[in-house]
Amino acid sequence: MAVDERASKGPSRRTILIGGGLGLGLVVTWAVWPRTYMPNLTAEPGETIFGAWLKIGTDGHVTVVVPQTELGQGVYTGLPQILADELGADWNSVGVEAAPLNPLYANPLASVTLFETSLGALPEGLQRTHATRNALVLTGASSSVRTFEDQLRVAGASVRVLLCKAAARRWGVDWQACGTADGYVVRGNARLPFGALAAEAADESLPDPVPLRSGEGSRLYGAAVPRLDVPAKVDGSVNYAADIRLPDMVFASVRQAPPGTGELTGLDERAANRVRGMLAVVRADRWVAAVADNWWAADRALEAMRPRFAIEGEVLNSDSIEEALTEALEGDGVRIASKGDLAATFRDARVVTGEYRVGLAVHAAVEPMTATAAFRDGRLTLWAPAQAPGLTRAAAARAAGLSEERVTLHPVMAGGSFGARLEHQVATQVAVIAKQLERPVQLTWSRAEDLRQDRFRPAAAARMAGRIENGSVTGWLAKIAAPATSRELADRLLGSDPFIAASLAIPTGRDPSAVAGAVPPYAIPAYAVDHHPAELRVPTGHWRSAAHSYTAFFTECFLDELAHVAGVEAHSFRMAMLREQPRLARCLTTVAQLGGWRGGVQGSGQGIACHAFRGSYIAVLAEARLGRDRKVRVDRLVAAVDCGRIVNPDLVRQQIEGGLIFGMSAAVGASTEISDNLPTHQRIGQLNLPRLADTPEIMVELIRSGSDPGGVGEIAVPPVAPAIANALQASTGVRFRRLPLLSELE
């Protein structure tokens, strides 16, 4: 193998050994030997494999291996583009292949972000080692480019050097006199195609270090090249989970125990058997599935059998959630971040206060939870759009009583996710059904079941306090009540990991991820952020931008309120405190200029908000009003974004535009109440999502930057709701402090 794929090129190569000790603590030691991981790609006839990232065929086609799930965010284009740029490939010859499970593709940045409470306190090297040794291949937390850019650049540059060496050997010249362009190795007028050189290039050796491309020239990096996944999506040839078809396949629908309930206690199987096409009933402790020769029959049979589950404890409803948040705010909090002497700043001073609340938010992806499984000869094969394929495979293996080595997972594209595909309930259920029936099975949750069993973005509440002096904020206190979602997610997804289980057993009471984004980016001399853990008894999980979706709402709305009290125009008020955040200040100035900011005066219907998140910066200007139907009408959204170096501006623009609409959806809907342990909204039409006619005019300005790439998949979501709320205050004179907006009037 010509390209050395030892873990030193990505994750750490050291071994982590974990043992009990120090009471409930951990003793973590480092092994002294390195750990080398080998690629496990397969080649088609005529293909040459180069390490873990690239294959080249004799016809010149270039296949880039992508370890991230394509959810619509464009990783099947952006990541290949990085490698193809360094390689000097012809974009028309570039294809993409989903990576097999391998520690080489671990994503330590996503793992520590998603499971911050369990992993965030570890040294960076240990974080990387834990992700690698556990093969935590994860898609999420806007981490794809930030994690894999360097590895892809080195991989592309390495193969470019090998191809140049092979060509130079043929020409009898120094390889450094050769270059690559459009799928050829070139030297003057001489040209040799990649396909003719690939097999020879694999036997060449690499210099240390491998030189990266330099100069502008004809580069793919930064170009708006076409998306590689679009043609298959347009012609319908792409396979989503629901498109899988296998011989003798049957279809299943499932009903699961609602939150706050226990085991299955009864059902009417005779009624289900009267449905034409009905084949079987599969039961588990907390769910039951109907299996039929078509999905509609399976779902009708499930309705007919009327599954019943035992009620555990008090009935869960929206009032109990509100009470839990209030109780948490009244109780003791845990200080997560602070600066200066806040007590002295607030002493004997006029303090402005405000209380904010946000409701449960649903994922509501276009594609409901779906997976297909086949069990044969003691082996299980799965097809699923998993954001955590290794964890999904492990969970399915446990559910089916198999070793992981006897389970194969084929990742497929997902029709949206927003964090929902990190969960693996549907995979474990279809594994059990397929093993019991010994037939291929496709399990699809109904839309109602998808909403009933969502792992919601949690409800949260905040009590904000601030002191204004000489037109600026000198003291700031954010007391935020929210559940410890990071701990819950870690327990649910990684609970079988002894390291995670041991860390979760330590009752620290701290969950920084529950208040992530709450530290204001402004130059405030004294501030504090407290987390007040709340027990909502509702399952919560990762949701696009996570806690930032509500902490930005708390921060940017309250800041606007302070600006009104200070008698200072909202843009100037912010700019005066952004001297330590030049990139954010530039976004704010740019959006004010582009949007024609009129000072947010009464009647203008304009509001602004800004946010810094995962290495990126954004400011949003919204124009909004109340329509005659007493609903929020958003007429315009303008965004200025600094996300560092941009791989593909079209992908970034698509993500920002999509994030703005997603944030707008969360501002006006995308939420549900809870009644008798069940969500009240069980259809898409009940979520008050914006329709095409409701879509505002959108303008996005991408600010050029030489900084490292930041995340773009989530950055646009947090500032939208506060910008709209601030615009409504300017339009109506009323401050709305609850999400979804106007929900306090219902």
Side-chain angles (χ1 to χ4, degrees), residues 660-721:
L660 293 173
I661 295 297
F662 191 90
M664 173 182 158
S665 301
V668 301
S671 185
T672 183
E673 299 291 314
I674 301 290
S675 178
D676 295 332
N677 296 77
L678 287 171
T680 57
H681 296 166
Q682 298 180 20
R683 300 195 307 271
I684 287 287
Q686 295 176 306
L687 297 176
N688 196 34
L689 300 177
R691 303 184 180 188
L692 187 61
D694 304 315
T695 303
E697 175 190 345
I698 294 177
M699 180 185 301
V700 175
E701 177 73 10
L702 303 181
I703 297 174
R704 292 178 62 101
S705 172
S707 301
D708 289 340
V712 298
E714 301 169 298
I715 181 64
V717 176
V720 179

Side-chain angles (χ1 to χ4, degrees), residues 33 106 198 246 251 288 404-405 516 535 542:
W33 62 88
L246 303 172
F251 300 84
V288 59
E404 290 185 39
E405 291 71 24
E535 296 291 338
H542 185 73

Side-chain angles (χ1 to χ4, degrees), residues 201-254:
D203 294 326
E204 298 288 344
S205 60
L206 283 172
D208 187 15
V210 174
L212 301 178
R213 287 173 70 99
S214 59
E216 297 296 326
S218 178
R219 303 293 297 267
L220 291 174
Y221 197 110
V225 299
R227 289 182 63 146
L228 296 180
D229 55 329
V230 165
K233 289 177 177 178
V234 171
D235 65 23
S237 60
V238 65
N239 277 329
Y240 290 93
D243 296 320
I244 302 300
R245 291 293 181 269
L246 303 172
D248 198 35
M249 189 172 80
V250 293
F251 300 84
S253 183
V254 69

Side-chain angles (χ1 to χ4, degrees), residues 262-466:
E263 295 185 355
L264 178 69
T265 58
L267 54 84
D268 186 352
E269 191 167 340
R270 294 178 61 185
N273 289 332
R274 288 194 288 269
V275 175
R276 181 178 296 178
M278 175 65 180
L279 299 174
V281 173
V282 177
R283 308 187 197 193
D285 289 341
R286 292 182 54 81
W287 57 266
V288 59
V291 183
D293 59 13
N294 66 87
W295 184 84
W296 181 254
D299 196 55
R300 292 304 91 200
L302 193 63
E303 289 291 332
M305 72 173 69
R306 296 174 56 248
R308 297 174 291 282
F309 299 89
I311 301 294
E312 294 182 341
E314 296 181 7
V315 173
L316 180 65
N317 54 50
S318 294
D319 288 340
S320 67
I321 293 174
E322 291 289 326
E323 291 169 3
L325 293 173
T326 300
E327 182 180 347
L329 282 176
E330 298 292 347
D332 295 332
V334 180
R335 185 135 296 177
I336 301 298
S338 63
K339 176 185 177 183
D341 190 344
L342 186 60
T345 302
F346 279 177
R347 190 178 299 123
D348 300 325
R350 181 195 174 194
V351 177
V352 181
T353 61
E355 184 163 326
Y356 300 83
R357 301 233 168 181
V358 301
L360 299 171
V362 301
H363 290 87
V366 172
E367 178 188 31
M369 290 291 191
T370 305
T372 302
F375 182 78
R376 179 177 296 175
D377 300 327
R379 299 191 64 87
L380 181 72
T381 305
L382 285 168
W383 289 262
Q387 286 181 250
L391 300 180
T392 299
R393 184 182 74 162
R398 289 193 300 271
L402 302 171
S403 66
E404 290 185 39
E405 291 71 24
R406 301 193 71 79
V407 179
T408 300
L409 173 66
H410 297 289
V412 296
M413 289 190 188
S417 173
F418 319 121
R421 266 66 185 177
L422 286 167
E423 310 289 346
H424 45 55
Q425 308 101 293
V426 69
T428 60
Q429 293 160 0
V430 78
V432 170
I433 298 169
K435 185 180 180 186
Q436 182 167 325
L437 299 183
E438 296 189 341
R439 292 180 68 175
V441 179
Q442 183 171 101
L443 171 62
T444 301
W445 291 6
S446 67
R447 176 60 65 188
E449 190 69 13
D450 198 60
L451 291 171
R452 282 193 293 257
Q453 296 298 327
D454 202 0
R455 274 31 180 170
F456 304 100
R457 194 284 312 278
R463 286 182 180 165
M464 312 292 289

Side-chain angles (χ1 to χ4, degrees), residues 13 249 377 471 587 648:
R13 295 161 46 197
M249 189 172 80
D377 300 327
C587 290
N648 186 319

